[in-house]
Amino acid sequence: MDLEFDASYDDFRSEVREFLSKNKPPKTFGMSEEEKPSRVGWLSLLIEHGYWARTVPKEYGGYGDSPDLLKTVIMDEEFNRVGVARGLNAQGPSMLVPTLLTHGSEEQRKKWIGPTMRGEIIWCQGYSEPGSGSDLASLQTSAVEDGDDFILNGQKIWTSTADMAQMCFILVRTEPDAKKHAGISYILMPMDSPGIEIQRLETMSGSIGENSFNQVFLTDVRVPRANVVGKRGEGWKIANTTLKHERSSLNSNAEGTLVRLANLMQKETIGGVPAMASPLYRDRLMKLQARALTMKHHGMRMLTCSLKGEPAGVAGLIVKLQNCQLSFDMAALALDVMGELGALYDHSKYERERGYWQALSMFSLGLIIGGGTAQIQKNIIAEHGLGLPREPKPAKA
Amino acid sequence: MDFGLSEEHLLIEQSLRGFLAENVPIERVRELREADCPNDRSIWSALAELGFAGVLVPEGQSGSGLSLLDAALAAQALGHGATPSPFLASGIMAPTALAAAGGSAADAWLEGIGSGDLVMGVAVTELFSVREDAGVQQRDGALHGSAMMAIDACNADLLLVAIDSETFAVVKTDAAGPEITRLATVDATRCTSEVVFGGVQPEAVFEDAGEAIRRMLEAGRIALAADVLGACEAMIEQSVAYAKERKQFGRLIGSFQAVKHMCSEMIAELEPARSLLWYSAHSFDAMPDETPLLACHVLAHLSEIGREIASVSTQVHGGIGWTDEQNLHFWFKRIANARHLLGGPEHLRDQAAKLQGFAPAA
Ligand SMILES: Cc1cc2nc3c(=O)[nH]c(=O)nc-3n(C[C@H](O)[C@H](O)[C@H](O)COP(=O)(O)OP(=O)(O)OC[C@H]3O[C@@H](n4cnc5c(N)ncnc54)[C@H](O)[C@@H]3O)c2cc1C
């Protein structure tokens, strides 16, 4: 255990601080086309200083430094302190880029990684289908080779940000006769290809929060064969790399949320008395603080593992399950503190913090389901983490 | 920066576990259940020889002068083995208080504690929970009143007793000392007693010792949390092993999702708690400003998840888990007892809130 900051790190911290005091981040920081110029400008500036894409090699458009846990922690702390996101929390940077770094061809890495990190290209993840959610490998969207292209047909669903994305990393069945897991390929599909139709699916969180949720219909969509990542038919293995990154990228800054919750409890009054003065609410807050601290330090342990290239084992598999539930439970306390006003939404009168807690409650519920449900996570933890026997195969009907 | 255990840490953990598995298996713990006091001096001497009695005692005073993280890993191993020993009082709390208080008397006792020749119990419960009107007062130099649930007192040579949050005394437990009666608890692996003072002359009284008492409680809470963590670990290991061998409906029960999910939920709670424990223990030596809050949270959190893990791991075993024959209950009860030994979770969370100004200080 060595958590000392030596003097050079103090310099690094001042440097980050100075950067943040001199440079104004864009007001909004989402994935829409209107936000693109400010997004790309800001992310490029961050990469230039090494605050984003820090360990992505230079030749792929990153900063090209070696991993340094302490600097990562310092950057997170400093960006959190001023309430600015350090980079773009989207599926491209968090899932596709690590996948390409492991499995992509040299050409694919050169072409896609830089623009993705700079926010020039927004990606969506085309995995789930109406009949294939948890049982993802049963997916049916087909891709048939035709000259230099594949022709794709089928339907994807629950595709977050498909309506804003320029590209999609999509799973398709290229070998219809192969066994379930063996016939899948991983393809990079431009979203402006003819034959793609996107239909927005409204979510329970409505207009608040920036998530968008879609169905994507594919009719004879042509995608170049060069866009297959890894080998044809090996998509399942590659998808699993992506999913691993999806699960570990959810380090939800529980500590920041906790501070916000504590502030709410000091401000919000019930019968003229702050909620914080109630031993019942306060005890719940302290329970959540223990869990938030737990996940914060667990995050540092996971970061150490990943920077040292050591497998995190079962300790890594549990992160998504715990973080998503914690986030939901923090929102739940906030809503309970607001009591009957906790139901106000959509910028109605008396609504608190523009619906932040209501949105968080619903959004974190979505995250408990998305990227593999809590139940599927528990199966993975039991089977891969604890070595318990696999589910027996169902009998053929 | 490196958040994790070093080779040396792992060595401590593994060597102690190996030693305990060989020398104090659960059968031995079962035997000790019949003894007057579970703190068998032969076990303690062996642990002292391995250097654990003096793990926190400075090197110049016959100790090994290690960090609280090292000590916590030892506590974890003892919890894992459900091993009876006066480690919490004599290995962690008393030396922390004495080292912080200082003085020649304290130095001499530290020397004895470090070698394992001197065992010291602690009576501190009244600092956070007064029951049965217990409490110790000093009048004309002598100690009066009583202390409940004193830790590791009945087979000890000396007793550290907290009089209030600023003052503690040390008394001998010989014939002229207080009356110490072991209180039978659910937990056969730990010694807790009632101590009646009745005018005992202390060996020394430490005044203005608020800081020493605070540090003693912090160290004790972190070590106790580590003990609970070790006990949870042992219970999960046994559950997973059982799920891989027990068959029902022609299948290993571990292939049933209900059982699988019980096991994954337990490990999902335990693994991050391990990270919090490492950090809390590390903070004690490296970032002491952070420790007051962390010590409250780490013990409260482990008390909560410990209760759940103790219950669920027993359920994984079905009926056999509820029998005396299956040894699981030794850990279940050790965890249950630990929950209130140095302040229950509600008290600890109240302290945590006060430390941050969320609740008015008492
Ligand atoms: C907010 C959000 C964002 C998403 N974003 C994307 C995206 O960008 N791209 C994309 O491709 N997909 C996305 N998804 C889809 C997501 O991956 C699926 O919803 C998820 O994998 C679950 O599949 P399902 O909805 O079909 O539920 P089902 O698989 O039908 O599950 C229904 C219930 O059955 C349980 N269940 C199913 N199988 C098992 C089993 N073997 N053992 C125990 N319980 C089981 C589940 O846990 C659940 O409780 C998103 C989902 C959400 C909620």
Side-chain angles (χ1 to χ4, degrees), chain A residues 276-337:
Chain A
M276 190 65 96
S278 149
L280 297 178
Y281 291 128
R282 200 165 62 224
D283 190 62
R284 279 178 65 185
L285 179 72
M286 289 300 98
K287 272 189 182 166
L288 290 169
Q289 184 173 50
R291 288 169 60 195
L293 283 168
T294 301
M295 292 318 293
K296 173 187 171 189
H297 295 112
H298 194 62
M300 288 168 76
R301 176 173 156 205
M302 292 302 100
L303 210 51
T304 305
C305 284
S306 84
L307 295 184
K308 287 166 96 181
E310 284 172 5
V314 70
L317 296 176
I318 56 95
V319 172
K320 188 212 166 199
L321 185 68
Q322 296 301 90
N323 272 340
C324 294
Q325 188 64 46
L326 173 58
S327 187
F328 183 79
D329 293 347
M330 287 196 282
L333 173 55
L335 297 181
D336 288 351
V337 162

Coordinates of all heavy atoms in Angstrom, one line a residue, chain A residues 276-337:
Chain A
M276 N -31.8 16.6 7.6 CA -30.6 16.1 8.2 C -30.7 16.0 9.7 O -30.0 15.2 10.4 CB -29.4 17.0 7.9 CG -28.0 16.5 8.3 SD -27.6 15.0 7.4 CE -26.6 15.7 6.1
A277 N -31.6 16.8 10.3 CA -31.8 16.7 11.8 C -32.6 15.5 12.2 O -32.7 15.2 13.3 CB -32.6 18.0 12.2
S278 N -33.2 14.8 11.2 CA -33.9 13.6 11.5 C -32.9 12.4 11.6 O -32.2 12.1 10.7 CB -34.9 13.3 10.5 OG -35.1 11.9 10.3
P279 N -32.9 11.8 12.8 CA -31.9 10.7 13.0 C -32.2 9.5 12.0 O -31.3 8.8 11.6 CB -32.2 10.2 14.4 CG -33.1 11.1 15.0 CD -33.6 12.1 14.0
L280 N -33.5 9.4 11.6 CA -33.8 8.3 10.6 C -33.1 8.5 9.3 O -32.5 7.6 8.7 CB -35.3 8.2 10.5 CG -36.1 7.8 11.8 CD1 -37.6 7.8 11.5 CD2 -35.6 6.5 12.3
Y281 N -33.4 9.7 8.7 CA -32.8 10.0 7.4 C -31.3 10.0 7.5 O -30.5 9.6 6.6 CB -33.3 11.3 6.9 CG -34.8 11.3 6.5 CD1 -35.6 12.3 7.0 CD2 -35.2 10.3 5.6 CE1 -37.0 12.2 6.6 CE2 -36.6 10.3 5.2 CZ -37.4 11.3 5.7 OH -38.7 11.3 5.4
R282 N -30.8 10.6 8.6 CA -29.3 10.7 8.8 C -28.6 9.3 8.9 O -27.6 9.1 8.3 CB -29.0 11.5 10.1 CG -27.7 12.1 10.1 CD -27.6 13.1 11.2 NE -27.9 12.6 12.5 CZ -28.6 13.1 13.5 NH1 -29.3 14.2 13.3 NH2 -28.8 12.5 14.6
D283 N -29.3 8.4 9.5 CA -28.7 7.1 9.6 C -28.7 6.4 8.2 O -27.7 5.8 7.9 CB -29.5 6.2 10.6 CG -28.8 4.9 10.9 OD1 -27.7 4.9 11.4 OD2 -29.4 3.8 10.5
R284 N -29.7 6.6 7.5 CA -29.7 6.1 6.1 C -28.6 6.7 5.3 O -27.9 6.1 4.5 CB -31.0 6.3 5.4 CG -32.1 5.3 5.8 CD -33.4 5.6 5.2 NE -33.4 5.5 3.7 CZ -34.5 5.8 2.9 NH1 -35.6 6.2 3.5 NH2 -34.4 5.6 1.6
L285 N -28.4 8.0 5.5 CA -27.3 8.7 4.7 C -26.0 8.1 5.1 O -25.1 7.9 4.3 CB -27.3 10.2 5.0 CG -26.2 11.0 4.3 CD1 -26.5 11.1 2.8 CD2 -26.0 12.4 4.9
M286 N -25.8 7.9 6.4 CA -24.5 7.4 6.8 C -24.3 5.9 6.3 O -23.1 5.6 6.0 CB -24.4 7.4 8.4 CG -24.2 8.8 9.0 SD -22.7 9.7 8.4 CE -23.4 10.7 7.1
K287 N -25.3 5.2 6.3 CA -25.2 3.8 5.7 C -24.7 3.9 4.2 O -23.9 3.2 3.8 CB -26.5 3.1 5.6 CG -26.9 2.3 6.9 CD -28.1 1.5 6.6 CE -28.5 0.8 7.9 NZ -29.8 0.2 7.9
L288 N -25.3 4.9 3.5 CA -24.9 5.0 2.1 C -23.5 5.6 2.0 O -22.8 5.3 1.0 CB -25.9 6.0 1.4 CG -27.3 5.4 1.2 CD1 -28.3 6.4 0.7 CD2 -27.3 4.2 0.2
Q289 N -23.1 6.4 2.9 CA -21.8 7.0 2.9 C -20.8 5.8 3.0 O -19.7 5.8 2.3 CB -21.6 8.0 4.0 CG -20.2 8.7 3.9 CD -20.0 9.8 4.8 OE1 -20.3 9.7 6.0 NE2 -19.6 10.9 4.3
A290 N -21.1 4.9 3.9 CA -20.1 3.8 4.1 C -20.0 3.0 2.8 O -18.9 2.6 2.3 CB -20.6 2.9 5.2
R291 N -21.2 2.8 2.1 CA -21.1 2.1 0.8 C -20.4 2.9 -0.3 O -19.7 2.3 -1.1 CB -22.5 1.7 0.4 CG -23.1 0.6 1.2 CD -24.6 0.4 1.0 NE -24.9 0.1 -0.4 CZ -26.1 0.1 -1.0 NH1 -27.1 0.6 -0.2 NH2 -26.3 -0.2 -2.2
A292 N -20.6 4.2 -0.2 CA -19.9 5.0 -1.3 C -18.4 5.0 -1.0 O -17.7 4.9 -2.0 CB -20.5 6.5 -1.2
L293 N -18.0 5.1 0.2 CA -16.6 5.1 0.5 C -16.0 3.7 0.1 O -14.9 3.6 -0.4 CB -16.3 5.3 2.0 CG -16.4 6.7 2.5 CD1 -16.4 6.8 4.0 CD2 -15.3 7.6 1.9
T294 N -16.8 2.7 0.4 CA -16.4 1.3 0.0 C -16.1 1.2 -1.5 O -15.1 0.8 -1.9 CB -17.5 0.3 0.4 OG1 -17.7 0.5 1.8 CG2 -17.1 -1.1 0.1
M295 N -17.1 1.7 -2.3 CA -16.9 1.6 -3.7 C -15.8 2.6 -4.3 O -15.2 2.3 -5.3 CB -18.2 1.9 -4.5 CG -19.3 0.8 -4.2 SD -18.7 -0.9 -4.3 CE -18.2 -1.1 -6.0
K296 N -15.6 3.7 -3.6 CA -14.6 4.6 -4.0 C -13.2 3.9 -3.9 O -12.4 3.9 -4.8 CB -14.6 5.8 -3.1 CG -13.4 6.8 -3.4 CD -13.4 7.9 -2.4 CE -12.1 8.7 -2.6 NZ -11.9 9.7 -1.5
H297 N -13.0 3.3 -2.7 CA -11.7 2.7 -2.5 C -11.5 1.4 -3.3 O -10.5 1.0 -3.7 CB -11.4 2.5 -1.0 CG -11.3 3.8 -0.3 ND1 -12.2 4.3 0.6 CD2 -10.4 4.8 -0.5 CE1 -11.9 5.5 0.9 NE2 -10.8 5.9 0.3
H298 N -12.7 0.7 -3.5 CA -12.6 -0.4 -4.4 C -12.2 0.0 -5.8 O -11.5 -0.7 -6.5 CB -14.0 -1.1 -4.4 CG -13.9 -2.5 -4.9 ND1 -13.2 -3.5 -4.4 CD2 -14.5 -3.1 -6.0 CE1 -13.3 -4.6 -5.1 NE2 -14.1 -4.4 -6.1
G299 N -12.7 1.1 -6.2 CA -12.4 1.6 -7.5 C -10.9 1.9 -7.6 O -10.2 1.6 -8.7
M300 N -10.3 2.4 -6.6 CA -8.8 2.6 -6.6 C -8.1 1.2 -6.7 O -7.1 1.1 -7.4 CB -8.4 3.3 -5.3 CG -8.8 4.8 -5.3 SD -8.6 5.6 -3.7 CE -6.8 5.8 -3.7
R301 N -8.6 0.3 -6.0 CA -8.0 -1.1 -6.1 C -8.1 -1.6 -7.5 O -7.2 -2.2 -8.0 CB -8.7 -2.0 -5.1 CG -8.3 -3.4 -5.1 CD -8.9 -4.2 -3.9 NE -9.0 -5.6 -4.1 CZ -10.0 -6.4 -3.5 NH1 -10.8 -5.8 -2.7 NH2 -10.0 -7.6 -3.7
M302 N -9.3 -1.4 -8.1 CA -9.5 -1.9 -9.5 C -8.6 -1.2 -10.5 O -8.0 -1.8 -11.4 CB -10.9 -1.8 -9.9 CG -11.9 -2.6 -9.2 SD -11.6 -4.4 -9.3 CE -10.7 -4.7 -7.8
L303 N -8.4 0.1 -10.2 CA -7.6 0.9 -11.1 C -6.1 0.4 -11.0 O -5.4 0.3 -12.0 CB -7.7 2.4 -10.7 CG -7.5 3.4 -11.7 CD1 -8.4 3.2 -12.9 CD2 -7.8 4.8 -11.1
T304 N -5.7 0.1 -9.8 CA -4.3 -0.4 -9.6 C -4.2 -1.7 -10.4 O -3.2 -1.9 -11.1 CB -4.1 -0.7 -8.1 OG1 -4.3 0.5 -7.4 CG2 -2.6 -1.1 -7.9
C305 N -5.1 -2.6 -10.2 CA -5.1 -3.9 -11.0 C -4.9 -3.6 -12.5 O -4.1 -4.2 -13.1 CB -6.3 -4.7 -10.7 SG -6.4 -5.5 -9.1
S306 N -5.8 -2.7 -13.0 CA -5.8 -2.6 -14.4 C -4.5 -1.9 -14.9 O -3.9 -2.3 -15.9 CB -7.0 -1.9 -14.9 OG -6.9 -0.5 -14.8
L307 N -4.0 -1.0 -14.1 CA -2.7 -0.3 -14.6 C -1.5 -1.2 -14.4 O -0.5 -1.1 -15.2 CB -2.5 1.0 -13.8 CG -3.5 2.1 -14.0 CD1 -3.2 3.3 -13.2 CD2 -3.7 2.4 -15.5
K308 N -1.6 -2.2 -13.5 CA -0.5 -3.1 -13.4 C -0.6 -4.3 -14.2 O 0.2 -5.2 -14.3 CB -0.3 -3.6 -11.9 CG 0.2 -2.5 -11.0 CD 0.0 -2.9 -9.5 CE 1.2 -3.6 -8.9 NZ 0.9 -4.0 -7.5
G309 N -1.8 -4.4 -14.9 CA -2.1 -5.5 -15.8 C -2.3 -6.8 -15.0 O -2.1 -7.9 -15.5
E310 N -2.8 -6.6 -13.7 CA -3.1 -7.8 -13.0 C -4.6 -8.1 -13.1 O -5.4 -7.2 -13.0 CB -2.7 -7.6 -11.5 CG -1.3 -7.6 -11.2 CD -0.9 -7.2 -9.8 OE1 -1.9 -6.9 -9.0 OE2 0.2 -7.1 -9.5
P311 N -4.9 -9.4 -13.1 CA -6.4 -9.7 -13.2 C -7.0 -9.3 -11.9 O -6.5 -9.6 -10.8 CB -6.4 -11.2 -13.4 CG -5.1 -11.7 -13.0 CD -4.1 -10.6 -13.2
A312 N -8.2 -8.7 -11.9 CA -8.9 -8.3 -10.7 C -9.7 -9.5 -10.1 O -10.2 -9.4 -9.0 CB -9.8 -7.1 -10.9
G313 N -10.0 -10.5 -10.9 CA -10.7 -11.7 -10.5 C -12.1 -11.3 -10.1 O -12.7 -10.4 -10.6
V314 N -12.6 -12.0 -9.1 CA -14.0 -11.8 -8.7 C -14.2 -10.4 -8.2 O -15.3 -9.8 -8.4 CB -14.4 -12.9 -7.6 CG1 -13.7 -12.6 -6.3 CG2 -15.9 -12.9 -7.4
A315 N -13.2 -9.7 -7.6 CA -13.3 -8.4 -7.1 C -13.7 -7.4 -8.3 O -14.3 -6.4 -8.1 CB -12.0 -7.9 -6.5
G316 N -13.3 -7.7 -9.5 CA -13.7 -6.9 -10.7 C -15.1 -7.2 -11.2 O -15.8 -6.3 -11.7
L317 N -15.5 -8.4 -11.0 CA -16.8 -8.8 -11.6 C -18.0 -8.2 -10.8 O -19.1 -8.1 -11.4 CB -17.0 -10.3 -11.6 CG -16.0 -11.1 -12.4 CD1 -16.2 -12.6 -12.2 CD2 -16.2 -10.8 -13.9
I318 N -17.8 -7.7 -9.6 CA -18.9 -7.3 -8.8 C -19.2 -5.8 -8.9 O -20.1 -5.3 -8.4 CB -18.7 -7.7 -7.3 CG1 -17.3 -7.1 -6.8 CG2 -18.6 -9.2 -7.1 CD1 -17.5 -5.8 -6.1
V319 N -18.3 -5.1 -9.6 CA -18.3 -3.6 -9.6 C -19.6 -3.1 -10.2 O -20.3 -2.2 -9.6 CB -17.1 -3.0 -10.4 CG1 -17.3 -1.5 -10.5 CG2 -15.8 -3.4 -9.6
K320 N -20.1 -3.6 -11.3 CA -21.3 -3.0 -11.9 C -22.5 -3.2 -11.0 O -23.3 -2.3 -10.8 CB -21.5 -3.6 -13.3 CG -22.6 -2.9 -14.0 CD -23.5 -3.8 -14.9 CE -24.7 -3.0 -15.3 NZ -25.8 -3.8 -15.8
L321 N -22.6 -4.5 -10.5 CA -23.7 -4.8 -9.7 C -23.8 -3.8 -8.5 O -24.9 -3.3 -8.2 CB -23.5 -6.2 -9.2 CG -24.6 -6.9 -8.4 CD1 -25.8 -7.1 -9.2 CD2 -24.2 -8.2 -7.7
Q322 N -22.7 -3.6 -7.8 CA -22.7 -2.8 -6.6 C -22.9 -1.3 -6.9 O -23.7 -0.6 -6.3 CB -21.4 -3.0 -5.8 CG -21.2 -4.4 -5.3 CD -22.2 -4.9 -4.4 OE1 -23.2 -5.5 -4.8 NE2 -22.1 -4.6 -3.1
N323 N -22.2 -0.8 -7.9 CA -22.3 0.6 -8.2 C -23.7 1.0 -8.7 O -24.2 2.1 -8.3 CB -21.3 1.0 -9.3 CG -20.0 1.4 -8.7 OD1 -19.9 1.7 -7.5 ND2 -18.9 1.3 -9.5
C324 N -24.3 0.2 -9.5 CA -25.6 0.6 -10.1 C -26.7 0.6 -8.9 O -27.5 1.5 -8.9 CB -26.1 -0.3 -11.2 SG -25.1 -0.2 -12.6
Q325 N -26.6 -0.4 -8.1 CA -27.6 -0.5 -7.0 C -27.4 0.7 -6.0 O -28.3 1.3 -5.5 CB -27.4 -1.8 -6.3 CG -28.5 -2.0 -5.3 CD -29.9 -2.1 -5.9 OE1 -30.1 -2.8 -6.9 NE2 -30.9 -1.4 -5.3
L326 N -26.1 1.0 -5.7 CA -25.8 2.1 -4.8 C -26.4 3.4 -5.3 O -27.0 4.2 -4.6 CB -24.3 2.2 -4.6 CG -23.8 3.4 -3.8 CD1 -24.4 3.4 -2.4 CD2 -22.2 3.4 -3.7
S327 N -26.2 3.6 -6.6 CA -26.7 4.9 -7.2 C -28.2 4.9 -7.1 O -28.8 6.0 -6.7 CB -26.2 4.8 -8.7 OG -26.5 5.9 -9.3
F328 N -28.9 3.8 -7.3 CA -30.3 3.8 -7.2 C -30.7 4.1 -5.7 O -31.6 4.8 -5.5 CB -30.9 2.4 -7.6 CG -32.4 2.3 -7.6 CD1 -33.1 2.9 -8.6 CD2 -33.0 1.7 -6.5 CE1 -34.5 2.8 -8.6 CE2 -34.4 1.7 -6.5 CZ -35.1 2.2 -7.5
D329 N -30.0 3.5 -4.8 CA -30.4 3.7 -3.4 C -30.1 5.1 -2.9 O -30.8 5.6 -2.1 CB -29.6 2.7 -2.5 CG -30.0 1.2 -2.8 OD1 -31.0 1.0 -3.4 OD2 -29.3 0.3 -2.3
M330 N -29.1 5.8 -3.5 CA -28.9 7.2 -3.1 C -30.0 8.0 -3.6 O -30.6 8.9 -2.9 CB -27.5 7.7 -3.6 CG -26.4 7.1 -2.8 SD -24.8 7.9 -3.1 CE -24.3 7.3 -4.6
A331 N -30.4 7.8 -4.9 CA -31.6 8.5 -5.4 C -32.8 8.2 -4.6 O -33.6 9.1 -4.3 CB -31.8 8.1 -6.9
A332 N -33.0 7.0 -4.1 CA -34.2 6.6 -3.4 C -34.2 7.4 -2.0 O -35.3 7.9 -1.7 CB -34.2 5.1 -3.1
L333 N -33.1 7.6 -1.4 CA -33.1 8.4 -0.1 C -33.5 9.8 -0.4 O -34.3 10.4 0.3 CB -31.8 8.3 0.6 CG -31.6 9.2 1.8 CD1 -32.7 9.0 2.8 CD2 -30.3 9.0 2.5
A334 N -32.9 10.4 -1.5 CA -33.2 11.8 -1.8 C -34.7 11.9 -2.1 O -35.4 12.9 -1.6 CB -32.5 12.2 -3.1
L335 N -35.3 11.0 -2.8 CA -36.8 11.1 -3.0 C -37.6 10.9 -1.8 O -38.6 11.6 -1.6 CB -37.2 10.0 -4.0 CG -36.6 10.1 -5.4 CD1 -37.1 9.0 -6.4 CD2 -36.9 11.5 -6.1
D336 N -37.1 10.1 -0.9 CA -37.8 9.9 0.4 C -37.7 11.2 1.3 O -38.7 11.6 1.9 CB -37.3 8.7 1.2 CG -37.7 7.4 0.6 OD1 -38.5 7.4 -0.3 OD2 -37.1 6.4 1.0
V337 N -36.6 11.8 1.2 CA -36.4 13.1 1.9 C -37.3 14.2 1.4 O -37.9 15.0 2.1 CB -34.9 13.5 1.8 CG1 -34.8 15.0 2.2 CG2 -34.0 12.7 2.7

